[in-house]
Amino acid sequence: MRITCFIRYEIEPAQRAAFREYAEAWGRIIPACGGDLIGYFLPHEGTNDVAYGLIAFDSLAAYEAYRTRLKADPAARANLAFAQQHGFIRREARTFLENVPRAS
């Protein structure tokens, strides 16, 4: 069963550019560590402090293996340190979704 990790970020609106840089770095790191990056999404109209990231995996086991590789990856650790140093993520929440066949 294919799953998607849906990440909801509450971001600091004044640091939108820093979040973009963070998301662009994940665009290289996530595929290298085994995730199928669907994309990162910044606010455009309306609410200015919510962003999203979507990453697909073949299973929860595949996600766990990805997390193990991610923790060991120097670029991933550097990107997380960048986020902590700049403080542009106020809150982060993950939800795991399964695809409904024939509805996508």
Side-chain angles (χ1 to χ4, degrees), residues 15-39:
Q15 294 192 53
R16 187 177 190 276
F19 185 85
R20 177 183 290 276
E21 184 177 338
Y22 170 81
E24 288 172 348
W26 285 129
R28 296 179 299 278
I29 298 164
I30 290 170
C33 290
D36 180 8
L37 180 62
I38 295 169

Side-chain angles (χ1 to χ4, degrees), residues 20-21 24 31 36-37 45 49 55-56 69 73 82 89 93:
R20 177 183 290 276
E21 184 177 338
E24 288 172 348
D36 180 8
L37 180 62
E45 290 287 331
D49 67 345
I55 311 164
R69 287 188 295 273
D73 187 86
F82 172 75
I89 298 173

Side-chain angles (χ1 to χ4, degrees), residues 78-95:
N79 204 35
L80 291 170
F82 172 75
Q84 290 174 343
Q85 177 185 18
H86 293 280
F88 49 81
I89 298 173
R90 295 182 190 155
R91 187 172 187 279
E92 182 178 329
R94 284 179 172 73
T95 301

